[in-house]
Amino acid sequence: MPLPQNRSGYTFEDYLAWEENDRTELIDGEAITMQAAPSRIHQEVSGAIYAQIHNYLEGKRCRVYAAPFAVRVLDDADTPDNASDTVVEPDISIVCDSSKLDEHGCKGAPDMIAEILSPSTARTDRLVKLNLYQRAGVREYWIVDPAEKSIQVFLLDGGHYRASEYYTGSDIAKVNVLQGCFVELERVFDQE
């Protein structure tokens, strides 16, 4: 199926019919096509965060996934796939409830999501996705800014995000949804 052309009302069924190399997300039925492949720095930052969390989770029940990984954040077990109108591909997702995992990805809110900013996604990640993840009940949301070498952490509190921590430089970032898990920023932002 060709890429969507400025139409709303798409569902997960449509999403599955699009070609694999066409990176498109759905937010409330609206197709949002990713403009370009992620930069080298974006991929290195993503890989460094993923690797540290993956190593921590070895032998534990929670799982970490890197993009592309389909997340139907607003769904639950009873939502039929053809009715789902919101599918995102976060840069990093942590899922601790294995019943949310299926052959397509995650059905429901992951415990934690990290989005890595790029010039083409910064507005969406800071506004649209922040509000979407809050509405979906994602317990922890990281906005990672490679240009500023920083991580801003939002925690869900009473159904609303509150800015919790702001890490820079050689700080060690705490993954709040995983007891005892930390990410060394020096190992994340060391590429130049």
Side-chain angles (χ1 to χ4, degrees):
M1 179 177 190
L3 275 175
Q5 298 295 319
N6 299 327
R7 190 187 107 199
S8 60
Y10 287 107
T11 67
F12 187 57
E13 194 171 48
D14 298 313
Y15 172 89
L16 290 175
W18 296 328
E19 294 184 27
E20 254 182 64
N21 59 350
D22 295 332
R23 294 198 54 224
T24 302
E25 295 180 311
L26 292 177
I27 297 181
D28 297 324
E30 182 180 341
I32 300 168
T33 303
M34 319 288 188
Q35 297 301 321
S39 71
R40 176 186 62 83
I41 298 296
H42 179 286
Q43 292 300 85
E44 288 180 6
V45 166
S46 177
I49 294 171
Y50 172 87
Q52 290 183 61
I53 294 172
H54 182 268
N55 289 342
Y56 170 82
L57 288 175
E58 191 168 325
K60 297 179 175 65
R61 69 179 177 89
C62 297
R63 297 286 175 257
V64 62
Y65 298 93
F69 178 70
V71 177
R72 291 155 285 162
V73 289
L74 298 176
D75 291 359
D76 60 29
D78 298 327
T79 307
D81 283 342
N82 62 356
S84 179
D85 71 351
T86 300
V87 185
V88 292
E89 294 183 5
D91 291 309
I92 296 171
S93 303
I94 296 174
V95 181
C96 294
D97 181 353
S98 62
S99 71
K100 291 182 177 181
L101 298 172
D102 65 16
E103 65 180 301
H104 302 296
C106 181
K107 190 171 188 176
D111 294 271
M112 185 261 208
I113 286 177
E115 294 285 8
I116 299 160
L117 300 181
S118 66
S120 65
T121 67
R123 184 182 184 287
T124 299
D125 293 341
R126 290 188 186 278
L127 299 172
V128 176
K129 286 190 174 179
L130 182 134
N131 288 319
L132 173 64
Y133 297 155
Q134 176 180 268
R135 182 173 52 143
V138 176
R139 294 174 29 213
E140 183 169 356
Y141 179 42
W142 285 19
I143 297 177
V144 182
D145 188 339
E148 297 293 321
K149 297 185 177 188
S150 67
I151 296 176
Q152 186 172 14
V153 178
F154 295 89
L155 296 177
L156 200 61
D157 184 8
H160 298 288
Y161 277 139
R162 68 173 167 75
S164 178
E165 294 105 7
Y166 185 80
Y167 299 106
T168 61
S170 60
D171 289 343
I172 297 176
K174 178 182 176 185
V175 181
N176 293 277
V177 299
L178 300 173
Q179 185 175 358
C181 182
F182 299 91
V183 173
E184 297 174 38
L185 269 59
E186 222 167 52
R187 293 171 56 198
V188 171
F189 299 120
D190 69 347
Q191 63 293 96
E192 287 300 322

